[in-house]
Amino acid sequence: MKAIVIDSYGGPERMQLRELPDPRPSAGEVVIDVVCAGINPVDWKIRDGALRGYYDWPLPLVLGCDVAGRIAALGPGVAGFAPGDPVFACTFPVVPGSGAFAEKVAVPASAVAPMPKRLDFAAAAGVPLAALTVWQSFYDVAGLAAGDTVFVHAAAGGVGSFAVSIAKAAGAYVAGTVSAGNADYVRGLGADAVIDYRGQDVVAAARRLVPHGFNIVLAAAAGDALAQSLLIAKPGGIAVSITGEFDAASATAQGVRTAWVGMEANGRQLGLIAALIDAGKVAAPPTAVFPLAEAARALETSKTGRVRGKLVLRVR
Ligand SMILES: NC(=O)c1ccc[n+]([C@@H]2O[C@H](COP(=O)([O-])OP(=O)(O)OC[C@H]3O[C@@H](n4cnc5c(N)ncnc54)[C@H](OP(=O)(O)O)[C@@H]3O)[C@@H](O)[C@H]2O)c1
């Protein structure tokens, strides 16, 4: 099979399109014929070597953490899937060294779910990692419920788009930060209000919207967003980071609970997300599609930090 491989950590020049042996499914795994692979910032963070020490995968490494495709083979002990089934999955961090930027990928069946019927493969490939991050932030950690007020930093990105959509589906009031050019896009996802983080005082604008502070703040941007989150959340509310650490002393002073979420692959939760998509309650963000051979260009596009929605590689 063809795959995007790195032999050493570094820039886009390290990414090679190479022939590798097809993966075979171990017990509890499925092999997926990849149709599209989703791109996430973690892909270039892995490639650059920024996650060394956290994840010590052996090199060479096949990049790619999100997949949509068809079941090609089942390993021993796998039930509930059949060859040809359209499925999607997050492969991070459950498949060391075997990534989705390839014609085939072996994935634990526990990370796989049937693909939403209303999505094509490109749109489905953009869902798993970003949507699971939001699901785990909002439901496993923050306890999202109808009537909550939710603030989303970086609302136009992959995670932010799902955060707005999933929070609205839950019956929350939702506001988030955007640059001016993405305001209409994020309002179109259902956001009740947007704040231009470049042109406005974000904390003051958030306080005008919800004077006593938001129940839940998701920091899907780093930098200023972390400190701002502690001032935007209400005392007793929760600020969830997926990007960096909050200042513990400031959090205590504000009376705001804090949490870090490191997304984990989860086929059961992905199935719940698929059901919301098929019910028309959660929207999959728009995708820009690159051919597999242009994976390096796609990752450099992701690294600009300016992507609206999702980037996807078409593999077949
Ligand atoms: N811990 C975890 O498990 C986990 C999981 C997923 C993602 N992450 C991390 O979370 C971050 C977001 O991921 P993603 O997939 O959503 O990335 P992304 O799709 O690349 O996000 C791009 C978006 O971020 C917006 N943005 C950039 N800087 C901003 C800022 N300072 N304030 C507000 N918006 C800003 C941009 O909007 P404008 O062009 O309008 O500025 C753009 O639409 C990344 O650092 C990623 O590595 C962590």
Side-chain angles (χ1 to χ4, degrees):
M1 68 166 186
K2 290 189 174 57
I4 300 288
V5 186
I6 57 167
D7 293 312
S8 59
Y9 296 109
E13 72 286 350
R14 306 289 168 98
M15 297 168 63
Q16 298 176 13
L17 183 62
R18 282 222 300 262
E19 279 292 331
L20 290 182
D22 286 356
R24 292 222 293 262
S26 303
E29 287 185 342
V30 299
V31 168
I32 299 172
D33 278 331
V34 181
V35 178
C36 289
I39 289 171
N40 295 280
V42 74
D43 299 319
W44 49 262
K45 292 179 183 180
I46 292 171
R47 184 203 64 194
D48 291 352
L51 301 188
R52 269 180 296 182
Y54 298 101
Y55 300 101
D56 289 319
W57 292 303
L59 294 168
L61 181 71
V62 179
L63 294 168
C65 299
D66 271 341
V67 56
R70 294 186 183 280
I71 296 282
L74 307 177
V78 174
F81 297 105
D85 283 355
V87 293
F88 68 157
C90 175
T91 70
F92 178 88
V94 288
V95 193
S98 171
F101 297 174
E103 290 178 318
K104 291 179 186 285
V105 62
V107 187
S110 60
V112 180
M115 214 172 87
K117 292 175 185 54
R118 66 196 287 161
L119 297 187
D120 60 19
F121 286 101
V127 173
L129 191 149
L132 285 169
T133 302
V134 171
W135 194 270
Q136 291 164 15
S137 298
F138 283 172
Y139 287 115
D140 293 353
V141 171
L144 174 66
D148 275 342
T149 50
V150 175
F151 192 92
V152 180
H153 287 281
V159 171
S161 296
F162 279 109
V164 171
S165 200
I166 287 173
K168 285 308 297 179
Y173 169 91
V174 183
T177 53
V178 293
S179 60
N182 282 325
D184 287 345
Y185 164 66
V186 171
R187 279 198 204 94
L189 295 172
D192 297 282
V194 294
I195 295 170
D196 175 1
Y197 69 94
R198 289 173 168 161
Q200 284 177 272
D201 177 330
V202 172
V203 174
R207 285 279 162 177
R208 280 195 293 277
L209 294 171
V210 181
H212 301 297
F214 285 72
N215 299 114
I216 299 170
V217 181
L218 178 63
D224 293 346
L226 289 164
Q228 290 167 355
S229 295
L230 301 177
L231 300 170
I232 292 170
K234 72 177 188 184
I238 184 163
V240 181
S241 174
I242 61 168
T243 57
E245 286 185 20
F246 294 113
D247 181 72
S250 302
T252 303
Q254 299 298 329
V256 171
R257 294 176 291 132
T258 62
W260 160 261
V261 166
M263 187 276 330
E264 293 182 358
N266 187 316
R268 183 188 63 78
Q269 292 179 339
L270 200 51
L272 298 173
I273 292 162
L276 285 174
I277 291 172
D278 276 337
K281 293 182 176 166
V282 166
T287 53
V289 182
F290 296 71
L292 179 65
E294 293 183 23
R297 189 165 68 87
L299 260 58
E300 292 317 282
T301 305
S302 169
K303 205 171 176 180
T304 65
R306 299 276 77 82
V307 171
R308 172 193 290 184
K310 293 295 298 187
L311 304 177
V312 165
L313 297 177
R314 179 164 290 283
V315 176
R316 56 165 59 82

